[in-house]
Amino acid sequence: MASTMIPYTVNIKLAARTLTGTLNLQNKTAVDWGWQGLIAQGCHSSILIIDPKTAQTIQVLERHKASVVKVKWSRENYHHSLSAPYCLRLASADAAGKIIVWDVVSGMAHCEIQEHTKPIQGKNPMAEAVTLNDCLQLSYLPSKRNHMLLLYPREILILDLELSQTVGVVAIERSGVPFIQVIPCAQRDALYCLHENGCITLRVCRSTTPSPNETVIDPEQNVQELVYDLRSQCDAIRVTKTVRPYRVVICPVNENSAALIVSDGRVMLWELKAHASKSSSGLSSGLPPLYSPVNFCGTPLLQNQKCIPDLSLNTMIGHSLISGVDSPRPLAGQQEVHLKFLLTGLLSGLPLPPFSLRMCPPLTTKNINHYQPLLAVGTSNGSVLVYNLTSGLLHKELSVHSCEVRGIEWVSLTSFLSFATSVPNNLGLVRNELQHVDLRTGRCFAFRGERGNDEPAIEMIKVSHLKQYLVVVFRDKPLELWDVRTGTLLREMAKNFPTVTALSLLQDAESKSEMSQGISAREHFVFTDTDGQVYHITVEGNTVKDGARIPPDGSMGSIACITWKGDTLVLGDVDGNLNFWDLKARLSRAVPTHRGWVKKIRFAPGKGNQKLLVMYTDGAEVWDTKEANPVWCPYLLLPRAALTLKAFLLLQPWSDTLTMDITHVDYKEKDEIKGLIQEQLNSLSNDIKSVLQDPNLNLLQRCLLVSRLFGDESDLQFWTVAAHYIQSFAQSCQPSGYVPEGQTPAEGPQSSHLDICHDILCESSFFQRFQLERVRLQEVKRSSYEHTKKCADQLLLLGQTDRAVQLLLETSADNSSYYCDSLKACLVTTITSSGPSQSTIKLVATNMIANGKLAEGVQLLCLIDKAADACRYLQTYGEWNRAAWLAKVRLSPAESSDVLKRWAEHLCSPQVNQKSKAILVLLSLGCFHKVGEMLHSMRYFDRAALFLEACLKYGVMETNYDINKLIGAAFVDYAKLLRSIGLQQGAVLWASRAGETGKELLDELCQTESMGLEPSPTEEEVDNSLGNVE
């Protein structure tokens, strides 16, 4: 039988369950939270992929040889299709200079990059270029353009890069704990700060609008500096020499979840929760109150509509109010809220090695209903950690021994024996501790009673297969045989008993039936001595009998391990040889592995299963075959299935019924794929399911919510801007009729505006007011002539001539620019709108621009209200962003629209090719027809169809021949896309909406359905999907 033992390869698709311990210092910066919803963390040379919702490690990537110093998820800011699918891509770099790009689902490397052995730096390279003492971090503020923060141990400086001046300081009081990291948010002007004690604090920028109870005499002087108020903080950790906080990362999609990485391997998952407050308790704390936002997923909530207040940061708190734009009093439906951190998940790390490991008894048909895959880990400090390998989470931690745990043996699914030995005394004797532990109660007792003091050290313990007997092997003392059930010593071997080097046990075929009848079953022990001879002992009840002996094999070295199952006995030695014995045929065969010391060998459980697991000196892996808890991550699906899941959620309701069951839809696909999609649907939280099945959830809200669930960066940005402006134009259409494309809708005092993080895309009035507030803050913070000059120039561009003149007149007489600034002040003050003066100034401005003085010429044109000409000059000289900025703050809606339309055309040019950005600009202008045409021409068929449908529902698009033609083409192409991914029912729906254009496709779909055929994608649909790239 041994001759048939040949190596074989199995394609295992299950992820290894890796239990991590203390991190390497080089792993400190190796953590990233991606738009895909998963956390990647470096642990020595491995990379763990963690699902923060279930606090599970779902994948382990192992290919690096050196410590991982940096990990980074791919961005999701592109349109997803069959040719550009949802996929999990991760880049990692190690200290030896190797960069690997991973396919996370398969665990395989896409490519490897290595330039000699230059180490990859784990810190921000910008920090090297800035010579600032003690500066820990530099980061841009994603919530405000041209702002940056500098992190110091005891303060955070907010810099306005246009002025190169500090406009805000977040300082820690004298007794406070220093900062070590800060993460600025995009959805709100807020900062997540990590402190040296592991505490995470959230600081939110204070609104410049005074609270209803405050009175401000001069609103111009209201802005002194940016103030970030402490709004919430989590509990600190116990910091020691070996336990320190390393890094914090936040969810980029929702920005209301944080993960703290601790040096001991722990990952603490914190969620920010908002609680409504009935009383105005903010005033008693000295802080202005925070209010909930008006909108949910970009749209005002209807009465009795379901929502998720804690979905994201911008659904928990409203934006910072801007003085002169926002009302200081809360709008209808707004509530005062308080923020609080809640610990929702914890991944524990292992202590320092060495460890003693033992897996619980295997799964059988009898214990399948209550079986848990538990792993016991004995540690050097005497405690035993029990892990559940399904989740990878710590099940229990028990303090059992006073010294290092040397071995563990399970006696049932809920109890085990463990032993530890103290440091030897002068005579080489030790104190042996053999403890019996019951996991259900945590009770421990000494199994050998008073025995154990001043005796030779225990080498190993073995429990028989039926958990009846225990063998205790000592270093220089004969072994002991115990009855596990009664705790009595059956036999202590004679002094001339051979020294045991390896021990294994076997059960008779009749043993199980005997046990079921309450009879003590016969069990067998085999062991080897120092010469390699194999001994056989039989135990039944209180009777111990010696059996046959097998002489040593001359080709084997010192035997290190032995195992026995059925008629096969296998021995492994310290030289890497395996010896297979066929006991029935009395034949043996030695197989050299050339792998070094064979540490352990085990047969797989199960009757007739002769597979063998061999562990060498380079380690072993524990594989969990039981399915883990479902994880919501569409990126784990096949590309076609991920797009189907997205369409299934977007196109609710199906047949006038809201459902979360894919089987309720006409979906032609294999049951295996359907099952995977249904697993994803089942893993959604009840809150998310409830909102998705709410009939009041409109199309815009659904598109925004689904893009957030998918972590689709491109989709989320598009639908945020689209939802805002579709509603904004729809509201302005209601009382006064249709608003022409390019005209900004009228903004009432109660209308909400787009968040300032969208910058140029915001409404002109709000954007202008924000810039005015910003320049006032710059005025307060200016500390040099250069700062004053920049403020004056900015005020002139904004049309604030009086204030600009005051600043120009502040120039001291000993300054070289004193004469020029005085003349400029006179010029600004005496400018008239007469023809000759305007002509002269325009001529001078034109000459200055032609001679390289673009900024000065633009400034002169703005003085004579020729900002439109200034914008054209800026665009001519390639200053597109500055032209857009100036148009927003100075021009009328019609003139501003012309400038921004030219910018959009420039973005669409082949040299620039930023069509997605151009679409966002056109959305802000209300050019919805052009947006629809561009989406369709870029083959974004799903986005185009849903966008046009939303425009029709909100009445913001005139219907004429050209528009109807576009709608028909977009709906038909979307129907073909749905057919290509197997959603026949959805294809029929959209083909029917296309009118005459979709009649041919509709007939084809109905014919296919009546014949019961599975639809296959046409060549055109294949071409569309493959060409679906911008």
Side-chain angles (χ1 to χ4, degrees), residues 181-417:
Q181 187 194 354
V182 61
I183 301 179
C185 299
Q187 298 176 17
R188 294 289 178 259
D189 191 0
L191 307 173
Y192 280 91
C193 306
L194 176 62
H195 299 258
E196 288 183 353
N197 62 353
C199 176
I200 303 171
T201 59
L202 177 70
R203 299 168 188 268
V204 182
C205 187
R206 185 181 299 180
S207 299
T208 57
T209 298
S211 64
N213 297 325
E214 294 177 341
T215 56
V216 177
I217 299 174
D218 184 4
E220 298 288 327
Q221 301 301 319
N222 189 36
V223 182
Q224 294 298 321
E225 67 175 13
L226 297 178
V227 179
Y228 288 82
D229 296 319
L230 177 62
R231 295 293 184 174
S232 183
Q233 66 182 51
C234 71
D235 296 331
I237 63 173
R238 184 172 177 267
V239 177
T240 65
K241 289 183 178 180
T242 58
V243 179
R244 295 182 177 278
Y246 267 0
R247 270 293 182 271
V248 66
V249 286
I250 67 168
C251 172
V253 183
N254 299 322
E255 293 187 338
N256 62 354
S257 301
L260 174 63
I261 311 301
V262 187
S263 61
D264 61 4
R266 280 180 292 168
V267 179
M268 305 177 73
L269 300 166
W270 294 93
E271 279 192 19
L272 194 66
K273 298 293 184 182
H275 301 280
S277 174
K278 295 180 181 179
S279 60
S280 182
S281 57
L283 296 176
S284 61
S285 64
L287 298 178
L290 289 177
Y291 292 105
S292 60
V294 178
N295 294 348
F296 174 70
C297 285
T299 305
L301 279 168
L302 301 176
Q303 190 174 6
N304 299 325
Q305 183 180 353
K306 295 178 180 177
C307 72
I308 308 170
D310 297 330
L311 176 65
S312 61
L313 188 62
N314 59 6
T315 64
M316 297 167 67
I317 56 174
H319 55 74
S320 298
L321 303 180
I322 303 296
S323 178
V325 176
D326 298 299
S327 169
R329 299 188 179 277
L331 303 177
Q334 284 191 302
Q335 290 182 301
E336 183 182 343
V337 293
H338 297 279
L339 303 177
K340 185 177 182 180
F341 280 106
L342 184 66
L343 185 65
T344 57
L346 175 65
L347 277 79
S348 298
L350 291 167
L352 293 172
F355 303 121
S356 177
L357 308 178
R358 181 66 71 191
M359 190 68 192
C360 72
L363 177 70
T364 65
T365 54
K366 290 186 177 179
N367 64 24
I368 191 169
N369 292 326
H370 55 272
Y371 179 80
Q372 285 184 299
L374 301 179
L375 174 71
V377 181
T379 66
S380 55
N381 61 10
S383 63
V384 178
L385 311 177
V386 181
Y387 284 88
N388 186 317
L389 294 189
T390 296
S391 62
L393 301 180
L394 181 64
H395 178 64
K396 284 196 177 181
E397 180 175 359
L398 304 163
S399 181
V400 180
H401 298 281
S402 60
C403 45
E404 180 185 332
V405 180
R406 303 296 303 276
I408 300 173
E409 283 287 318
W410 290 80
V411 294
S412 72
L413 287 175
T414 57
S415 59
F416 60 82
L417 290 165

Side-chain angles (χ1 to χ4, degrees), residues 81-83 640 939 941 976-977 979-980 1016-1028:
S81 63
L82 287 174
S83 57
R640 176 182 162 110
R939 298 180 179 272
F941 298 134
K976 290 178 180 178
L977 174 64
R979 180 175 67 171
S980 70
S1016 57
T1018 63
E1019 290 184 15
E1020 180 188 1
E1021 289 168 0
V1022 173
D1023 292 339
N1024 286 345
S1025 63
L1026 293 177
N1028 199 350

